[in-house]
Amino acid sequence: MKGRGVILWVDADACPRDAKEIVFRASQRLQLPVKLVACQVIHAPSSELIERIGVPGSPDAADDRIVELVSAGDLVVTDDVPLAARVVEKGAVALTPRGQVFDADSAPQRLAARNLMEDLREREVIRGDGPAPYGPAYRRRFADALDRLLAKRTRGRR
């Protein structure tokens, strides 16, 4: 990839520790920068490749900061569907810690489905129990999806 290269952005406020560890390992292996953005204290290993970006305010402020700084070709790790849709509009790709990819083809449909489900929960038409616990199957899906996406983005860089 030409230009500054791929940056791995992490919506760090709610990202599971296991997913962040997978990102850190990928960063070291491929020598890719990671930007952790959060409204709270962020724990990360000491590395010249890892930058912590603290944003005062609500988690939405962290989302806004990611959207402001992300560029086409970057990869954003987030479980926030509206944030994923916003970064895709800027030419980035989003990946959930559970291994779901949001790209230009899938983001609009996933955002519409999320909004519909939120509306149905607010009207108490359906009940929301939240996502299943983050476990080994999700870690594996995330690691596999991250490897595939990074292979596409870093091909020819070496």
Side-chain angles (χ1 to χ4, degrees), residues 61-120:
D63 296 352
D64 292 342
R65 185 73 175 167
I66 291 170
V67 172
E68 174 189 335
L69 298 173
V70 75
S71 293
D74 287 348
L75 178 61
V76 178
V77 177
T78 184
D79 225 356
D80 184 311
V81 175
L83 172 58
R86 291 172 67 194
V87 300
V88 165
E89 285 178 4
K90 290 193 71 177
V93 171
L95 175 64
T96 73
R98 295 169 188 272
Q100 292 182 310
V101 176
F102 287 77
D103 57 22
D105 295 328
S106 64
Q109 294 88 355
R110 290 197 175 142
L111 181 60
R114 177 250 184 217
N115 291 342
L116 174 64
M117 296 304 286
E118 184 176 89
D119 185 51
L120 292 173

Side-chain angles (χ1 to χ4, degrees), residues 142-154:
F142 174 70
D144 291 346
L146 181 65
D147 284 345
R148 281 191 307 275
L149 290 169
L150 290 176
K152 285 181 192 174
R153 280 166 175 62
T154 59

Side-chain angles (χ1 to χ4, degrees), residues 114-138:
R114 177 250 184 217
N115 291 342
L116 174 64
M117 296 304 286
E118 184 176 89
D119 185 51
L120 292 173
R121 280 190 297 275
E122 284 176 3
R123 294 182 196 193
E124 297 182 1
V125 174
I126 62 169
R127 196 175 125 200
D129 293 329
Y134 194 76
Y138 288 127

